[in-house]
Amino acid sequence: MADTITKALLKKYFEGNCTLDEKKQVLAYLEQDDQSVLDEYIMEQATEGKPIETSEGIKKDFFARLSAIINKPAERKIISWKISWKPATTYRVAASLALLMVVGMVYWLGSNRKNGQAQQLVTISNREKLTHKIVLSDGTQVWLNPNSSISYSKNNFADTSREVSMTGEAFFDVSHDANKPFRVTSGNIVTRVLGTAFNITAYKAEKNIHVLLVRGKVQVTSGTQHRVLLPGQLLSYNNYNSNIDVHSVAIDGKMEAFTSGKMVFDNVPLASAIKRIADAYAVQIDLKDSSVLQNKMITGAYARNTPDEVLRRVLFIHGLKFKKKGEHEYTINN
């Protein structure tokens, strides 16, 4: 069935321009296991910042058929977003469905009224274990890490300004435009640039937000506080007391590490690093004694292979080990 479906036909379906036979063909396709063409179409629209316009009736049919897949016993084959280390059928299907709904529904439903005009909020979330590259309409490239998201207004982006908000972690290689500064809001700080490359770490559960400049120059603002960063400087903003600290770090190989999708830590508390690993791989990591992580920091770039391998390498440097309980549970001890 996938061989007979094209992205052009899916576009016709969502726009309500299909013939009766074409509609039947698409609806039958939505009940199949292999929906790789649909995956590609939705992500293509997301990366290009194009909202998927459709009627309420089509939305209802679309999500009803996707939800029905979860109850099917056969394992769905996910080509673009396959999770090789998770064997459970329900998890793989649910993860793919979540991806489609997170990327797709915001285009249809994420609108509000402002100044009498409908504002279309585009939100792209990465719920997989690998970093995903996104190219915005102005040419800016974004490498979005697992459990991270960026949002921007489809109506205004790249018009008079370029503004996005984000949570989690992302590396930005911003397309230069002196007339339209690029601004990233992450928590209580705003990073303003013209054309440069930098990484922002802004996980909601962590105490600090970090901005690491790799190339160019950025200005970071929080309230009345302003800091200008040069390449090799790392800014840390404390969410609890609003303190800002700037210090120099080595940036050799950093851009390659960020853009190749590695898990990068720059003097990060070990407890925070372990939390990121647990979230990225959807595993549970327990501690026999939480004091073993106190005052321990981690720096390094780690390939996103299996959770066992990443966890082993991160713990090794501090002389810690883990025991595996079941398939997705770990206990750390010394």
Side-chain angles (χ1 to χ4, degrees), residues 145-218:
N145 280 352
N147 296 296
S148 304
S149 66
I150 63 169
S151 302
Y152 60 93
S153 170
K154 175 62 170 60
N155 303 62
N156 301 326
F157 186 79
D159 182 7
T160 57
S161 64
R162 300 178 292 170
E163 299 185 8
V164 304
S165 60
M166 62 150 290
T167 61
E169 183 175 4
F171 182 80
F172 295 83
D173 193 348
V174 178
S175 177
H176 181 79
D177 188 337
N179 297 319
K180 300 173 184 175
F182 193 98
R183 294 181 177 88
V184 182
T185 299
S186 45
N188 292 323
I189 70 172
V190 177
T191 303
R192 179 183 182 275
V193 303
L194 295 176
T196 186
F198 58 98
N199 192 76
I200 297 181
T201 306
Y203 291 99
K204 292 181 179 179
E206 295 188 12
K207 181 176 72 173
N208 293 312
I209 297 173
H210 301 286
V211 180
L212 173 60
L213 184 63
V214 176
R215 187 187 71 239
K217 184 167 68 174
V218 303

Side-chain angles (χ1 to χ4, degrees), residues 5 35-36 41 66 85 103 130 148-149 165 173 179 184 196 204-205 222 236-237 247 257 261 269 279 285 298 302 333:
I5 291 293
Q35 294 185 0
S36 55
Y41 175 72
L66 286 181
W85 63 275
V103 175
L130 299 177
S148 304
S149 66
S165 60
D173 193 348
N179 297 319
V184 182
T196 186
K204 292 181 179 179
S222 176
S236 297
Y237 171 85
H247 62 274
D279 290 343
I285 303 176
I298 187 72
Y302 304 89
N333 50 50

Side-chain angles (χ1 to χ4, degrees), residues 135-146:
V135 181
L136 302 180
S137 59
D138 68 332
T140 293
Q141 301 177 84
V142 183
W143 285 263
L144 193 63
N145 280 352

Side-chain angles (χ1 to χ4, degrees), residues 97-308:
L97 177 60
L99 172 69
L100 295 175
M101 295 184 73
V102 167
V103 175
M105 289 186 74
V106 290
Y107 286 88
W108 295 327
L109 309 179
S111 299
N112 55 64
R113 289 279 173 181
K114 185 177 181 181
N115 298 324
Q117 294 183 341
Q119 298 294 309
Q120 295 174 321
L121 178 64
V122 178
T123 299
I124 304 174
S125 299
N126 182 3
R127 302 304 185 199
E128 301 294 315
K129 76 181 185 74
L130 299 177
T131 299
H132 293 313
K133 179 182 177 181
I134 300 161
V135 181
L136 302 180
S137 59
D138 68 332
T140 293
Q141 301 177 84
V142 183
W143 285 263
L144 193 63
N145 280 352
N147 296 296
S148 304
S149 66
I150 63 169
S151 302
Y152 60 93
S153 170
K154 175 62 170 60
N155 303 62
N156 301 326
F157 186 79
D159 182 7
T160 57
S161 64
R162 300 178 292 170
E163 299 185 8
V164 304
S165 60
M166 62 150 290
T167 61
E169 183 175 4
F171 182 80
F172 295 83
D173 193 348
V174 178
S175 177
H176 181 79
D177 188 337
N179 297 319
K180 300 173 184 175
F182 193 98
R183 294 181 177 88
V184 182
T185 299
S186 45
N188 292 323
I189 70 172
V190 177
T191 303
R192 179 183 182 275
V193 303
L194 295 176
T196 186
F198 58 98
N199 192 76
I200 297 181
T201 306
Y203 291 99
K204 292 181 179 179
E206 295 188 12
K207 181 176 72 173
N208 293 312
I209 297 173
H210 301 286
V211 180
L212 173 60
L213 184 63
V214 176
R215 187 187 71 239
K217 184 167 68 174
V218 303
Q219 175 180 283
V220 180
T221 301
S222 176
T224 59
Q225 299 185 86
H226 306 277
R227 297 290 189 279
V228 174
L229 301 185
L230 300 177
Q233 290 187 315
L234 174 67
L235 177 145
S236 297
Y237 171 85
N238 189 305
N239 287 310
Y240 300 145
N241 58 27
S242 302
N243 285 344
I244 291 178
D245 174 70
V246 177
H247 62 274
S248 297
V249 299
I251 57 172
D252 290 344
K254 279 291 195 299
M255 186 160 182
E256 186 277 332
F258 287 125
T259 58
S260 64
K262 292 182 178 179
M263 189 174 289
V264 181
F265 302 118
D266 274 296
N267 202 35
V268 173
L270 184 57
S272 296
I274 290 173
K275 176 68 165 58
R276 293 186 200 177
I277 294 170
D279 290 343
Y281 290 97
V283 297
Q284 180 178 329
I285 303 176
D286 299 318
L287 294 166
K288 281 190 173 181
D289 180 3
S290 60
S291 66
V292 301
L293 302 185
Q294 290 181 2
N295 302 318
K296 290 182 172 65
M297 311 296 285
I298 187 72
T299 295
Y302 304 89
R304 295 180 186 273
N305 296 328
T306 66
D308 299 52

